[in-house]
Structure formats: structure tokens, C-alpha cells
Amino acid sequence: MKSGEKELGSLTEEINQKASEQGIDPKLIFKIKFKENVSEKDLARFGCDFLGDLASENNAQVVFSDQERLKTFYQKWENFHSDDLTSKGNPKHNNFFANILSLSRLNAEDRKGFKLKDVDIEDDTTYFLDVDLWFSGKREECLKAQDNIEKILGEEGKITDSYIGDSIHLSKTAKKTPSKLCIGGR
């Protein structure tokens, strides 16, 4: 197994395990650090939806991919590492994968918004947090995501408000220990 295959396989396993531990479906939100940023269109071509740039890291982009598209991404990644993309004369694929420095899951600091970055989180203090959720386009999936958040919050937290619009899904939560909100899946 080549190092790229191992890195992507470890990422998938780690995120799926974290999501399973929290009792939620394993969806993949992770970061890709590039030598140079790529366009949303290029990310989509390779099975990833652009969610945002990480201000804390140069050329690191937060992306989402589901299991089906990740499988395709993995196959192309594997072809790149076996020099199969180059032999087929596919420079767009080759350039995309050669531009990747690393793949990793988001850590707690990556998930903090700009207002929370400068706050020292203390135990036994209630915090109100705005949570931007991945909008799947299906109301039922958004409601299921809210149910999963309520499970994670447990008895010490709750969703105080939520909004599901045509292209956005937001929730406001109150929790005594907000660190549990920093999970690997969605």
C-alpha cells in the first residue's frame, strides 16, 4: 500500500469511527491542504464540495464528500500514486493530485468560527453556539441532522433555535461543555 492510499484510508476510518461513536451517519467533511488553492469547480470534478477556506492555514480548504464520491476520489488518488494518470496523459488529474500536500480531518480549532477563536472555553459554563450545518437539499436529512446534534448535546444541552431554508441549515445550541460539538462527521 502506498503512502497516499494509507493516508486516505486512515482518514476515512478515523472519521467513520468518530461519527459512529457519536451515533451519527458517517459523512465526510475534511480538509485538503494544497500547494496552491484550487477552484470550487475543480474540487467538484474530483468529488468534493467546497465548504470554505481555513484562515488558520494557507491554502487549506474544507471539503465535503459522501461515500460514493470519495470512492471515485480514492480511485483517482490511487491511479496518481501508481503513475497511471501520467501514463494516460491526463495532466488535469495529475496536476490536481500533485498539488495536494495533505488530507486530514478537521480538529477542534478548525471548527471554531472567528468569534470563538479568541475565547478561552471553561468547564461548567454554558455557551450558546451558532452551528452551520451542511445543507443536503432534503428537509428530512436536515431534521435527522438536528436529531443527531440533540443526541450529542445530551441532557446538558439543547437546540434553542433552528432554521432550514432553501439553501442553508442553521442551529443555535446551548451546551455546558461545547467541546463535544467538535466531531468528525456532520
Side-chain angles (χ1 to χ4, degrees):
M1 179 182 288
K2 297 192 181 340
S3 65
E5 295 172 34
K6 183 178 178 187
E7 187 175 356
L8 187 58
S10 297
L11 173 68
T12 303
E13 287 176 27
E14 184 178 355
I15 291 174
N16 286 342
Q17 180 181 351
K18 280 283 192 196
S20 295
E21 288 171 5
Q22 298 291 342
I24 61 177
D25 292 336
K27 304 294 185 199
L28 297 176
I29 295 177
F30 57 101
K31 64 182 170 182
I32 304 176
K33 187 161 183 161
F34 292 99
K35 294 174 190 170
E36 296 179 17
N37 275 353
V38 299
S39 70
E40 290 182 41
K41 185 178 176 181
D42 282 343
L43 285 167
R45 236 182 48 237
F46 291 95
C48 299
D49 295 321
F50 174 77
L51 297 180
D53 292 313
L54 278 178
S56 60
E57 293 184 49
N58 288 335
N59 299 324
Q61 295 174 302
V62 180
V63 298
F64 164 79
S65 185
D66 58 31
Q67 294 291 344
E68 186 69 30
R69 293 184 301 157
L70 186 67
K71 183 178 177 182
T72 302
F73 182 95
Y74 178 75
Q75 288 168 340
K76 290 176 182 177
W77 179 257
E78 188 176 290
N79 289 342
F80 169 75
H81 283 284
S82 65
D83 292 328
D84 196 28
L85 291 176
T86 305
S87 64
K88 288 185 176 184
N90 198 336
K92 288 184 179 178
H93 285 72
N94 192 40
N95 290 341
F96 179 84
F97 288 106
N99 190 25
I100 295 175
L101 293 173
S102 66
L103 302 166
S104 60
R105 66 183 290 264
L106 298 174
N107 60 42
E109 287 302 311
D110 295 332
R111 292 178 179 271
K112 289 181 183 178
F114 68 93
K115 289 183 181 178
L116 195 56
K117 288 253 187 228
D118 297 328
V119 175
D120 290 327
I121 298 174
E122 299 174 17
D123 289 337
D124 297 322
T125 302
T126 300
Y127 292 91
F128 289 88
L129 301 173
D130 294 327
V131 181
D132 296 347
L133 298 162
W134 175 255
F135 181 75
S136 67
K138 298 178 183 174
R139 184 170 178 77
E140 303 81 38
E141 287 184 15
C142 293
L143 293 171
K144 185 178 177 184
Q146 282 184 202
D147 288 343
N148 289 334
I149 288 175
E150 286 179 336
K151 286 179 192 174
I152 292 166
L153 292 170
E155 293 178 16
E156 294 182 359
K158 65 180 179 176
I159 294 177
T160 60
D161 194 15
S162 66
Y163 173 75
I164 301 172
D166 292 334
S167 62
I168 192 168
H169 183 188
L170 304 170
S171 288
K172 184 176 282 294
T173 63
K175 175 95 174 124
K176 212 171 210 180
T177 311
S179 61
K180 285 190 177 183
L181 290 175
C182 298
I183 56 174
R186 77 173 173 176

